[in-house]
Amino acid sequence: MRVGLGHDLHRLAPNRALILGGVRIDFERGLIGHSDADILLHAITDALLGAAGLGDIGDAFPDTDPAYAGIDSALLLARALERVRAAGWRIVNLDCTIFAQRPKLAPHKPAIRQKLAELLAIPVEAVNVKAKTGEQVGPIGREEAMAADAVVLIERTT
Ligand code: MG
């Protein structure tokens, strides 16, 4: 078995969709970035690549490459998952935390959990989604940014 860790942070701005874990969330602002800026999927992609010893999301999908401008992060995750599987690994479980001052994420956690299970093709019981505020301090607490952490456990398929 191997474990991988992922972290990501993006800034918030008006006139952007807020997408967390592949789920669109109704909010007056969204995250900005080269792709759709889905911090949770980016953290999970890094955790997966890390567990398999395959580098990071920046190595795999450079943000200088116009091919990835505005790309759905679910596609990046799917490609990373393909690479991890091809290297002979499968996912045991995923745990993750989203850091956001607002909006309240509790009502969205079940939908995000379900979506992550679908994207990773693992049982929903193997996925856990947590949410925390920034206690009104720092870039998270001042609503300048949101962040996400992810930990993935993988095991050999052979
Ligand atoms: Mg990112």
Side-chain angles (χ1 to χ4, degrees):
M1 285 188 167
R2 301 263 296 258
V3 69
L5 169 71
H7 174 81
D8 197 28
L9 177 147
H10 281 259
R11 283 181 293 127
L12 280 158
N15 305 313
R16 286 278 297 188
L18 177 61
I19 301 165
L20 294 173
V23 174
R24 186 165 176 154
I25 290 168
D26 193 32
F27 190 50
E28 74 261 20
R29 287 176 297 153
L31 297 165
I32 51 174
H34 186 66
S35 66
D36 63 11
D38 187 330
I39 44 170
L40 184 54
L41 293 192
H42 292 179
I44 294 167
T45 301
D46 258 351
L48 257 183
L49 292 170
L54 294 171
D56 69 25
I57 193 170
D59 300 332
F61 314 108
D63 66 5
T64 49
D65 187 335
Y68 301 120
I71 197 168
D72 179 349
S73 296
L75 291 176
L76 303 183
L77 178 62
R79 286 192 209 171
L81 184 57
E82 266 171 40
R83 292 183 58 195
V84 169
R85 283 179 173 155
W89 299 99
R90 70 167 154 249
I91 299 171
V92 178
N93 75 302
L94 159 72
D95 189 20
C96 55
T97 306
I98 306 165
F99 298 85
Q101 189 62 42
R102 279 194 318 131
K104 273 259 170 269
L105 294 178
H108 302 287
K109 286 192 291 187
I112 294 170
R113 186 185 189 202
Q114 184 67 45
K115 182 70 174 180
L116 294 177
E118 280 167 28
L119 292 174
L120 297 169
I122 56 177
V124 77
E125 296 75 25
V127 177
N128 193 66
V129 177
K130 309 189 295 297
K132 302 191 82 67
T133 71
E135 289 290 332
Q136 293 168 334
V137 296
I140 309 287
R142 290 191 300 265
E143 299 182 32
E144 295 165 2
M146 292 182 183
D149 287 339
V151 174
V152 170
L153 188 70
I154 58 173
E155 65 181 358
R156 277 278 174 213
T157 48
T158 49

